[in-house]
Amino acid sequence: MAYINNTAILRSLSCASISLYYSMSAAASHLEVDDPALADRCELEMGWQQPRSDHARPQLNAATTCSRNQWEWHLGLVSNANNDIREEQAEVGIKLPLNLNSHSGSGSDSEQQDDWHSAVVINVQKNLEISNGFATEAFGIVGKTLGDSDVSLYANLGFTHGFTQSTQLLAGIAAAYELSSQHRLIAELYQKELSETAYQFAYQHTPQRQLQLELNLGNALRGNALQLGADITFYFGH
């Protein structure tokens, strides 16, 4: 990132400090498929992503996410440049949990662990370089932890709509495996644009309670659209 000027870096960090966030993914990550869990603490993320082009410059993002009174909110910013044209996009969004496991009643602990969990997400995005460059996405999330196997499965289904674009399907499935309390692997398959389906793998390392590191690698199912990213996330609050 040596070729990214100091002004751009300071601007991204400044936006992070006032809770600006851009993502259509799980909190504190470049992952595309969101899980139904709410953040148990506030999260401040700074990341780098190589876009799906050999000629595009890396993308910088700054993010924060917090939960309050059984719902989650996020705000943020992403900044990228291509052919010396800089583009910045901001987003505000909320996640509301839905209760699908009320039927569990007084079952055993193992049965309760197998209950389904769900949430609904609504995000509004704004391209800061275009006067009417708004976009909206809304999708539902369903997830399940498979008992004592340390494997979680979840799926997203919804739509994304921009003022200059037609409504498009947003869909994805993912699996997360807890190797230990500090190591986690995630695999996902998703579609955000018509005729464009992609996959991604991520490794998350949490060396301490206040810090998480992530590396992710993905590609399109058809063609060569390799992407690589890295994130650092700081946790604070309760």
Side-chain angles (χ1 to χ4, degrees):
M1 281 186 276
Y3 49 81
I4 304 233
N5 59 51
N6 291 334
T7 301
I9 295 175
L10 291 174
R11 186 172 182 180
S12 294
L13 294 177
S14 175
C15 290
S17 68
I18 60 175
S19 301
L20 289 178
Y21 176 66
Y22 168 82
S23 177
M24 292 191 292
S25 62
S29 176
H30 279 303
L31 295 173
E32 302 289 346
V33 184
D34 202 352
D35 66 53
L38 300 183
D40 58 356
R41 291 172 287 165
C42 290
E43 305 170 358
L44 175 61
E45 175 219 358
M46 288 175 286
W48 163 88
Q49 187 86 356
Q50 175 63 48
R52 296 178 177 180
S53 170
D54 294 336
H55 306 290
R57 294 184 180 181
Q59 170 182 292
L60 297 176
N61 74 286
T64 195
T65 302
C66 281
S67 60
R68 182 179 181 84
N69 297 328
Q70 300 303 310
W71 62 282
E72 179 184 287
W73 58 265
H74 69 255
L75 299 163
L77 179 76
V78 65
S79 178
N80 57 52
N82 191 7
N83 297 326
D84 297 325
I85 300 175
R86 182 166 298 281
E87 182 177 277
E88 295 180 342
Q89 184 170 346
E91 178 179 280
V92 58
I94 59 172
K95 180 193 288 186
L96 303 173
L98 302 176
N99 185 12
L100 288 186
N101 56 9
S102 58
H103 64 276
S104 61
S106 57
S108 66
D109 290 341
S110 61
E111 290 174 341
Q112 292 179 6
Q113 287 179 348
D114 288 344
D115 288 342
W116 292 87
H117 301 278
S118 61
V120 61
V121 173
I122 301 174
N123 295 323
V124 177
Q125 299 148 3
K126 174 66 170 69
N127 188 322
L128 302 181
E129 310 301 325
I130 304 175
S131 60
N132 63 343
F134 285 94
T136 303
E137 66 176 13
F139 57 93
I141 308 170
V142 176
K144 184 174 184 177
T145 300
L146 303 182
D148 298 327
S149 65
D150 296 321
V151 175
S152 297
L153 304 177
Y154 43 95
N156 294 179
L157 181 62
F159 68 89
T160 177
H161 176 75
F163 288 146
T164 60
Q165 302 178 13
S166 60
T167 300
Q168 299 189 60
L169 177 68
L170 188 160
I173 57 175
Y177 178 51
E178 299 282 348
L179 296 172
S180 69
S181 60
Q182 295 185 341
H183 305 277
R184 190 178 191 221
L185 296 177
I186 301 172
E188 61 180 15
L189 180 69
Y190 60 92
Q191 176 178 302
K192 283 195 167 183
E193 298 180 13
L194 294 177
S195 304
E196 182 180 342
T197 302
Y199 64 87
Q200 188 165 211
F201 300 100
Y203 165 70
Q204 295 177 342
H205 176 47
T206 309
Q208 53 183 289
R209 190 173 183 270
Q210 293 79 23
L211 178 67
Q212 176 183 282
L213 306 174
E214 178 186 305
L215 293 175
N216 54 75
L217 177 67
N219 205 340
L221 286 182
R222 297 181 179 180
N224 183 16
L226 188 67
Q227 61 174 346
L228 176 67
D231 290 75
I232 182 169
T233 302
F234 301 95
Y235 299 94
F236 57 95
H238 59 277

